[in-house]
Amino acid sequence: MVATWSECLNYVSLTHTIEPRDRYSSSQARPDITVHNASDFNVELDVSLVDPWSQDKISVAAITNGSAASKREEKKIKKYKEERHVGGSSSRLIPLVFEYFGHWGNAGEKFLYQISLRSRDDDGKMNSAEFKTYWRQLLSITLQQCNSRVIAKKTDRIACRHDSLVDDYRYQAHISQVNSFHDQLRSVFFYS
């Protein structure tokens, strides 16, 4: 996701640094991207994926669409605010939060809109509406690729966990199905 956001920023000629090491060096709150703005402050982007079905979010997520993303945004803002208080940073944090199933956090939506305004039709680039549509689609595809990697890792762990049960034919059939599914995922997302 970070690489795709970086491409998006490059498209609109925003100078940025991926995983800057010079800020918050002693803490765990480190932005994924720092956008170097022409004005007096930088914008720090923290990209995050959240599972709306996790135990601590499932009850609210079942009722309110996007609540897991909103909760993660609040958590990120609080974490960085505490670090800024200690470190004295004047940067503005924008948490770019995505739920596994595709819902975006509000801050990510607003940020994409703001940078889309930099895309002009008169210089041969996409206009603002085309820009938003294109990058939303590309970020959505990137999210699904991330999801496929998570599934692939989980199926690998399942396969390894059941290797000790080689004698039981039911587990062998299960392993075969998991491996087949895993191969299909890899062919679709990694080799196409």
Side-chain angles (χ1 to χ4, degrees), residues 147-160:
N147 285 339
S148 72
R149 287 186 193 107
V150 168
I151 292 168
K153 285 179 184 177
K154 287 184 179 188
T155 57
D156 281 345
R157 279 186 282 188
I158 290 168
C160 291

Side-chain angles (χ1 to χ4, degrees), residues 80-93:
Y80 277 86
K81 190 179 284 189
E82 291 169 1
E83 293 296 328
R84 279 197 193 93
H85 182 69
V86 173
S89 174
S90 62
S91 298
R92 183 176 68 142
L93 172 76

Side-chain angles (χ1 to χ4, degrees), residues 8 18-19 49 51 56-58 61-62 70 82 97 99 141 153-154 159-160 185 188:
C8 181
I18 297 175
E19 297 184 357
L49 300 176
D51 182 1
D56 60 329
K57 297 174 190 76
I58 189 82
S70 295
E82 291 169 1
V97 180
E99 292 182 0
I141 290 167
K153 285 179 184 177
K154 287 184 179 188
C160 291
L185 281 176
V188 169

Side-chain angles (χ1 to χ4, degrees), residues 104-138:
W104 288 39
N106 292 332
E109 292 277 4
K110 288 177 186 173
F111 182 69
L112 184 64
Y113 172 76
Q114 288 173 342
I115 64 174
S116 74
L117 298 176
R118 295 180 60 100
S119 183
R120 301 286 184 248
D121 201 16
D122 56 342
D123 60 2
K125 293 184 177 182
M126 295 179 257
N127 65 34
S128 179
E130 292 168 335
F131 177 90
K132 284 187 296 190
T133 300
Y134 174 79
W135 287 102
R136 277 190 65 81
Q137 289 172 349
L138 191 59

Side-chain angles (χ1 to χ4, degrees), residues 30-45:
R30 183 170 48 217
D32 295 306
I33 301 172
T34 298
V35 180
H36 308 287
N37 203 344
S39 62
D40 295 338
F41 65 93
N42 291 325
V43 175
E44 295 177 337
L45 306 175

Side-chain angles (χ1 to χ4, degrees), residues 63-81:
I63 299 169
T64 308
N65 191 19
S67 62
S70 295
K71 292 263 188 225
R72 176 66 63 92
E73 283 180 340
E74 291 169 10
K75 193 176 188 179
K76 290 285 184 183
I77 290 169
K78 182 180 177 190
K79 179 179 176 180
Y80 277 86
K81 190 179 284 189

